[in-house]
Amino acid sequence: MSTVPVFRHREPLTRSDLESITDDAHRYELVDGVLLMSPSPRPLHQRVVTRVLAAVVKECPRDCEALPAPVDVVLAEDTVLIPDVVVGRRADYTERALVGVPVLSVEVISPSSRLIDTKLKRAKLAEAGCPHYWIVDPYVPSVLCLSLADGEYVVAAEAKYDSTVTLELPFPVSLVPEDLVSDY
């Protein structure tokens, strides 16, 4: 049985503190020096992640790479996020993480992550300048695609159930929410 890591100081945590955590199958993120822990995702969540990743990989430009979680996205020394799917410029990937702002960050909502994905991560990625942020809710099902405009996210496209969301930016892709969740 694993335990939550204990840190000896009261200062905000940093990327190096995060890297010192033993791999225990939990997902640890850091937001403004505060440690967040998420449980392992459910099969429905992973099904959606896999299908979004497959759609994105097909159209991802050669100078970028699309990867599933867990991949650390280092926005600052005190902020390290783990999107469910991330697209970054190949030049920004290191052996350990994507260092810098992603081209696209995708979150698939879980019951335990709804507030974090729809509010906290959305705000931190907008603040960092991430141009595209998608939120997939498998419980509706729906896809909300946001684009950054004047420092805030605006709706670029949205689809529910059997409707298709079609985007041209950051690259052409189409998604049907019901197809992402079906157990076929």
Side-chain angles (χ1 to χ4, degrees):
M1 183 173 184
S2 63
T3 60
V4 175
V6 177
F7 298 98
R8 297 180 190 269
H9 51 78
R10 293 188 176 268
E11 299 296 317
L13 298 177
T14 65
R15 177 181 174 194
S16 62
D17 293 319
L18 188 64
E19 290 173 353
S20 73
I21 298 173
T22 306
D23 185 9
D24 63 1
H26 288 99
R27 184 184 295 189
Y28 294 100
E29 298 175 277
L30 198 57
V31 177
D32 297 331
V34 176
L35 188 67
L36 304 176
M37 190 272 298
S38 302
S40 298
R42 298 176 181 182
L44 173 63
H45 180 276
Q46 292 305 88
R47 178 183 308 132
V48 173
V49 167
T50 300
R51 292 179 182 162
V52 168
L53 181 64
V56 168
V57 164
K58 283 194 291 189
E59 302 299 334
C60 189
R62 293 181 63 98
D63 67 328
C64 292
E65 185 168 14
L67 296 172
V71 173
D72 287 352
V73 174
V74 180
L75 298 178
E77 280 304 305
D78 67 350
T79 302
V80 179
L81 303 180
I82 303 175
D84 290 314
V85 175
V86 65
V87 177
R89 289 172 193 80
R90 288 185 187 276
D92 293 340
Y93 282 102
T94 68
E95 184 177 314
R96 189 151 174 83
L98 172 66
V99 179
V101 179
V103 172
L104 167 65
S105 181
V106 181
E107 291 296 343
V108 177
I109 293 175
S110 294
S112 63
S113 73
R114 183 173 298 279
L115 188 60
I116 290 169
D117 293 342
T118 61
K119 302 293 184 195
L120 183 62
K121 285 187 176 183
R122 179 177 174 165
K124 294 310 291 183
L125 286 161
E127 180 182 296
C130 178
H132 303 280
Y133 186 59
W134 300 351
I135 301 170
V136 181
D137 187 340
Y139 300 97
V140 172
S142 66
V143 177
L144 174 64
C145 302
L146 304 168
S147 293
L148 199 61
D150 297 322
E152 294 185 27
Y153 284 122
V154 296
V155 176
E158 185 174 13
K160 292 182 180 180
Y161 309 109
D162 63 352
S163 298
T164 302
V165 63
T166 302
L167 298 153
E168 293 303 318
L169 295 174
F171 38 80
V173 67
S174 293
L175 300 168
V176 178
E178 282 185 350
D179 291 348
L180 298 175
V181 300
S182 78
D183 61 359
Y184 61 89

